[in-house]
Amino acid sequence: MGKKRKQREAETNGPAAKKEDAAASEERPKRTLLGWKEKPQENADAAATAPSFRNKEKVLVTCSRRINFRYRHLMLNVVSLLPHCKKDNKVESKEIKGATLNELVELRNCSSCLFFECRKHLDLYLWMAKCPNGPSVKFLVNAVHTMEELKLTGNHLKGSRPILTFSANFDKDAHWLLLKEMIIQIFGTPKGHQKSKPHHDHVFAFSIVDDHIWFRNYQIAVPHIESDKVPRGSLEKMTLVEVGPRFCLNPIKIFGGSFGGPTLYENPFYVSPNQIRALQKKRKTGKYAKKVKAKTRRKMHELSNPLEPDEFADMWKE
């Protein structure tokens, strides 16, 4: 039976059939797991004319040693909000931290860095830098509220792409425009990132109030009941529910390089927390000095105005 099958196959697969198969294989390009090896001429021309830019932004998020637990939770919340970030080990916050952070960013194949620096277990500074050429910004972080602390009702899909919104104040001055562009590049999730979801279900709101940048995270709540279902394109029934975290950024300086360099902008209204604590101590010392002065005045008044002797003071001594 095996010999007969071979003879039949040889008869059917003659030289004419082989020629037809060769022509068909020449016409059809070979296909691989990544696509077609030889693209048609029309598609090749279209790909050559189309722009080939792809956003490959990656952010390195790290913190300094001896960081407070509350600020560490804030950093972890930021990591959960940015699917295109990479978390690294703690870095010693010294004068040479700029060189070490630039090396870490290069080793992790990132283009930006968010460095949470804690001082005296009280003050939190946020470095926002574009590596390795800059610019970089140093912020003082105030009014910190983490997701676990707020216990808000909002909830959005993890890894989804956010919609960035900015107040109209960002277009007034040059330094605010620079900060806006840096925030867009760092907090904006690249389209088509492998860890991101192709949905827009939450909003990052950045607003300027009293020369401070206030950050809020809102979920876009859409009703899914058949009676109240929102048609495509209508925004009347959509609502915003806050998710968290919350924090306030007070810009201190903008540098031309990465974690240093020439100073491009310095905030004239910035007061360091060390000065604020020193003023509070001076006020307390002033209160004590006032008490001491009041006691001395009372004694001087008693000496200058002695009481008259009481007639009945020695009545019951006999």
Side-chain angles (χ1 to χ4, degrees):
M1 294 296 289
K3 292 181 180 179
K4 290 181 179 179
R5 282 181 182 174
K6 285 182 180 179
Q7 289 176 1
R8 289 175 184 174
E9 288 176 2
E11 290 175 358
T12 54
N13 297 333
K18 288 182 180 179
K19 287 181 182 179
E20 291 177 0
D21 295 340
S25 62
E26 288 178 1
E27 291 177 359
R28 186 175 64 184
K30 293 182 180 180
R31 188 173 184 180
T32 61
L33 293 174
L34 301 177
W36 301 98
K37 276 190 175 181
E38 297 177 4
K39 295 182 179 179
Q41 189 66 26
E42 297 178 358
N43 297 338
D45 297 339
T49 55
S52 61
F53 171 74
R54 184 181 177 185
N55 189 0
K56 296 183 179 180
E57 185 76 29
K58 294 179 183 177
V59 185
L60 178 70
V61 181
T62 182
C63 64
S64 63
R65 294 189 179 276
R66 295 173 294 277
I67 191 172
N68 194 359
F69 72 96
R70 192 176 184 187
Y71 300 148
R72 187 177 69 252
H73 290 173
L74 175 66
M75 183 194 69
L76 294 176
N77 293 155
V78 173
V79 169
S80 64
L81 291 177
L82 303 179
H84 62 289
C85 76
K86 293 183 179 181
K87 186 178 174 296
D88 209 312
N89 296 328
K90 296 178 181 179
V91 180
E92 194 68 43
S93 59
K94 293 182 178 179
E95 294 180 357
I96 58 171
K97 64 176 178 291
T100 56
L101 284 170
N102 286 328
E103 290 179 3
L104 278 175
V105 170
E106 187 178 358
L107 288 172
R108 299 301 298 270
N109 195 18
C110 297
S111 57
S112 305
C113 182
L114 289 176
F115 178 58
F116 292 83
E117 184 180 5
C118 186
R119 296 285 183 87
K120 297 182 179 180
H121 297 276
L122 297 173
D123 308 324
L124 179 65
Y125 297 92
L126 174 62
W127 285 86
M128 192 182 295
K130 297 291 293 181
C131 300
N133 300 321
S136 58
V137 193
K138 185 179 181 182
F139 296 99
L140 175 67
V141 185
N142 294 320
V144 174
H145 299 282
T146 60
M147 287 184 181
E148 296 81 5
E149 180 185 354
L150 289 174
K151 296 181 181 178
L152 297 171
T153 57
N155 185 19
H156 59 78
L157 186 65
K158 186 176 181 180
S160 59
R161 298 177 63 208
I163 299 173
L164 303 181
T165 60
F166 298 89
S167 61
N169 305 340
F170 279 94
D171 299 330
K172 288 186 177 180
D173 298 326
H175 62 279
W176 293 122
L177 284 171
L178 177 60
L179 292 178
K180 179 180 178 180
E181 184 62 30
M182 290 186 67
I183 290 170
I184 289 173
Q185 293 185 18
I186 291 175
F187 284 88
T189 304
K191 184 178 180 181
H193 193 270
Q194 56 184 357
K195 292 184 179 179
S196 66
K197 308 295 189 301
H199 308 290
H200 295 280
D201 61 347
H202 63 113
V203 180
F204 288 167
F206 297 91
S207 55
I208 299 175
V209 180
D210 296 334
D211 294 327
H212 291 62
I213 299 176
W214 297 80
F215 172 81
R216 295 289 185 270
N217 180 23
Y218 298 99
Q219 177 202 357
I220 303 174
V222 183
H224 293 286
I225 307 172
E226 289 296 330
S227 60
D228 299 334
K229 197 170 183 180
V230 179
R232 178 174 288 183
S234 65
L235 304 175
E236 297 176 355
K237 295 183 180 180
M238 292 186 183
T239 56
L240 295 178
V241 183
E242 188 174 356
V243 181
R246 297 179 185 175
F247 55 88
C248 173
L249 301 176
N250 185 11
I252 302 172
K253 282 186 180 181
I254 301 177
F255 300 97
S258 177
F259 298 100
T263 303
L264 303 180
Y265 170 77
E266 186 174 359
N267 189 1
F269 305 106
Y270 171 71
V271 181
S272 67
N274 293 328
Q275 294 179 358
I276 295 172
R277 284 191 288 268
L279 290 173
Q280 290 176 354
K281 286 183 180 179
K282 283 184 179 180
R283 287 177 184 175
K284 290 180 180 179
T285 57
K287 287 182 180 179
Y288 179 73
K290 286 178 182 179
K291 288 181 181 180
V292 173
K293 288 180 181 179
K295 285 182 179 180
T296 54
R297 282 200 305 268
R298 180 64 181 172
K299 288 181 180 179
M300 294 297 292
H301 178 72
E302 288 177 354
L303 293 173
S304 60
N305 300 312
L307 295 173
E308 295 180 358
D310 190 6
E311 299 177 359
F312 307 102
D314 301 330
M315 179 185 294
W316 306 105
K317 285 184 179 181
E318 295 180 355

